[in-house]
Amino acid sequence: MEKKEWLPPGFEYRAGELWLEEVSLESLARKFGTPCYVYSAGAIRAAYRRYQAGFAGASLDLSLCYAVKANSNLEILRLLGGAGAGADVVSAGELYRAISAGIPAGKIVFAGVGKTQAEIDYALERNIRAFNLESAGELALLDRRAQALDKTGVGVSLRFNPDVEVHTHAYITTGKKSNKFGLPAATIRQLSQEINRSPALKLRGLQMHIGSQLLQIEPVVAAFEKLLDLAAEVEALTGQALEYLDIGGGLGASYSGEIPPRPADLALALAAAMAKRVVTYPLLAEPGRYLVAEAGSLLTEVLYLKGGDEGETNFAIVDAGMNDLLRPALYQASHKIVPLKVPDSPDHRLYEVVGPVCETGDWLGHGISLAGLRGGEHLAILSAGAYGFAMASNYNSRPRPPEILVDGPDCRLIRRRETFEDLVAAEINL
Ligand code: LLP
């Protein structure tokens, strides 16, 4: 602990205790109990500003639509919406959240391969900026419903599958031909003309999203080059200029000190690709993880230590489980885990940090080096702000943890811990 180790922005050890902004996490864990999610408002605002500034620095016109799926807490949406962000939603539920948080419908795009008629109607009634469409069937349904509801000028963007290789976990690769997402160029050429003929719809843009936790920008740029070629073809076929190109999200975050690409580097590369073709388009981007992952942490208490005798594995059994943070179990994701109090013992051991859920896959960290670990001690599982609480469940009938927002010296409960009554609320008084 004495040597300088990587911590996400906003986290630092002061006099042997881990702080987030101006709040001691040990005192926060005692006040709110564990497990609990804690987020830094300052870190989210700073990431938002870095993204915006990166694109402005490359003289690009950017609409930033935060990918709500990464962390859909209303207060996080209010924070980003207040900073100027729009939203990228993938369900009517997310649209409901974004609008409830005050994000104007005109700044919201609706993505996803399987929108239902009820979801399409809900979004049509609210006059969102655009539907990102991914199949001919979906286009036909949207057209029918838009006409039935007397809507005109309904914004549409077609999702392109550029068939590029990306180096990330197979479950979060989305831009290969074999993935369920997007459409090939030939279909987009054809559908863009159908949209042109519709009295209700207006083709505003083309969209792509090739994967998440991207640590290199080259595949994004390669896909964008293909998108630019397709945009030129679509404009020639329809005789209409596109309002924007949507580059999706995907920029990676740091989980244990790796260095993800900067938005400014991505922006410069995209600007260069446009300059090469002597074209310029306003861009729309849908970052999720980049804005919130490093800003959040899951605090947990060590319940028991077991093993450690000759040849035995050391287990640290903690009070957070795979229902609270699914990423390690689902993607073999590795999150750095650190103590809230620097131990006085130099005796480091390697631990399997596991939860209480009745599954062997219920682990939060493999081979985590911790010194002088004792029951009752608190740990922070870092970079858990994206796809952490958002993917939490009630598996094993465990109430989901509270969420707390730290802003300078303030800390505020932004979602309370669920109760046993919450667990059964939807099953009683039917
Ligand atoms: N746009 C679209 C169309 C997407 O599908 C996604 C993420 C995003 C934007 C935002 O991507 P981001 O900037 O956050 O990488 N649960 C996984 C990640 C799933 C991402 C799904 N799509 C995880 O925990 O790693």
Side-chain angles (χ1 to χ4, degrees), residues 37 47 108 139 156-157 182 243 245 256 298 360 391 416:
Y37 275 97
I108 301 178
L139 169 58
V156 171
S157 180
E243 282 172 28
L245 296 180
S256 50
L298 175 61
T360 301
M391 293 175 79
R416 63 168 171 77

Side-chain angles (χ1 to χ4, degrees), residues 67 69 88 159 172 209 212 250 286 288-289 327 331 387 391:
K69 65 171 82 66
D88 159 45
R159 179 165 176 176
I172 48 178
H209 172 78
S212 197
E286 307 163 352
R289 188 189 313 265
R327 303 193 70 258
Y331 313 114
Y387 308 109
M391 293 175 79

Side-chain angles (χ1 to χ4, degrees), residues 362-397:
D362 178 29
W363 62 276
L364 298 161
H366 278 310
I368 304 291
S369 169
L370 292 162
L373 197 61
R374 295 201 186 98
E377 205 175 306
H378 290 135
L379 302 174
I381 304 171
L382 300 175
S383 304
Y387 308 109
F389 186 90
M391 293 175 79
S393 77
N394 291 123
Y395 187 39
N396 276 201
S397 284

Side-chain angles (χ1 to χ4, degrees), residues 146-389:
Q147 295 193 40
L149 297 172
D150 276 332
K151 297 281 176 185
T152 52
V154 171
V156 171
S157 180
L158 290 170
R159 179 165 176 176
F160 175 45
N161 182 323
D163 194 27
V164 293
E165 269 316 325
V166 227
H167 301 289
T168 185
H169 192 281
Y171 287 7
I172 48 178
T173 297
T174 52
K176 283 292 294 170
K177 212 157 59 182
S178 54
N179 302 139
K180 69 177 174 182
F181 298 101
L183 294 161
T187 314
I188 291 197
R189 286 193 291 267
Q190 186 199 329
L191 296 187
S192 61
Q193 294 173 82
E194 282 179 28
I195 296 167
N196 226 17
R197 288 193 290 271
S198 160
L201 309 184
K202 164 117 182 77
L203 182 64
R204 296 194 194 283
L206 298 181
Q207 193 260 2
M208 65 177 209
H209 172 78
I210 61 169
S212 197
Q213 184 54 10
L214 305 177
L215 294 176
Q216 281 135 11
I217 56 173
E218 288 76 12
V220 186
V221 179
F224 186 67
E225 303 251 8
K226 292 186 176 190
L227 190 71
L228 286 172
D229 291 342
L230 181 58
E233 290 171 5
V234 164
E235 290 186 336
L237 282 168
T238 60
Q240 307 272 336
L242 293 167
E243 282 172 28
Y244 64 84
L245 296 180
D246 179 343
I247 60 164
L251 218 49
S254 192
Y255 284 85
S256 50
E258 51 289 44
I259 302 176
R262 299 177 316 147
D265 297 332
L266 174 62
L268 285 173
L270 299 177
M274 290 199 275
K276 205 161 71 184
R277 288 168 172 74
V278 205
V279 291
T280 172
Y281 288 96
L283 299 181
L284 193 149
E286 307 163 352
R289 188 189 313 265
Y290 182 84
L291 300 179
V292 293
E294 293 175 23
S297 173
L298 175 61
L299 307 186
T300 186
E301 180 176 319
V302 178
L303 298 174
Y304 309 108
L305 299 176
K306 92 172 184 181
D309 290 338
E310 223 166 293
E312 273 186 353
T313 307
N314 284 302
F315 289 103
I317 301 165
V318 300
D319 66 358
M322 65 189 284
N323 72 295
D324 302 303
L325 178 64
L326 184 60
R327 303 193 70 258
L330 187 59
Y331 313 114
Q332 297 73 49
S334 137
H335 289 248
K336 184 163 181 172
I337 302 180
V338 295
L340 295 196
K341 278 186 162 173
V342 178
D344 34 30
S345 156
D347 170 29
H348 280 257
R349 290 185 187 199
L350 293 184
Y351 289 94
E352 295 297 291
V353 178
V354 299
V357 171
C358 297
E359 297 242 6
T360 301
D362 178 29
W363 62 276
L364 298 161
H366 278 310
I368 304 291
S369 169
L370 292 162
L373 197 61
R374 295 201 186 98
E377 205 175 306
H378 290 135
L379 302 174
I381 304 171
L382 300 175
S383 304
Y387 308 109
F389 186 90

Side-chain angles (χ1 to χ4, degrees), residues 103-158:
I103 297 179
K107 288 170 117 178
I108 301 178
V109 295
F110 190 176
V113 290
K115 303 175 197 76
T116 63
Q117 176 169 323
E119 289 185 307
I120 288 175
D121 284 0
Y122 184 78
L124 278 170
E125 299 287 13
R126 275 145 198 90
N127 300 317
I128 61 167
R129 181 169 187 188
F131 289 81
N132 295 347
L133 300 184
E134 307 207 22
S135 67
E138 190 188 6
L139 169 58
L141 179 61
L142 177 67
D143 196 14
R144 255 196 337 269
R145 295 310 301 160
Q147 295 193 40
L149 297 172
D150 276 332
K151 297 281 176 185
T152 52
V154 171
V156 171
S157 180
L158 290 170

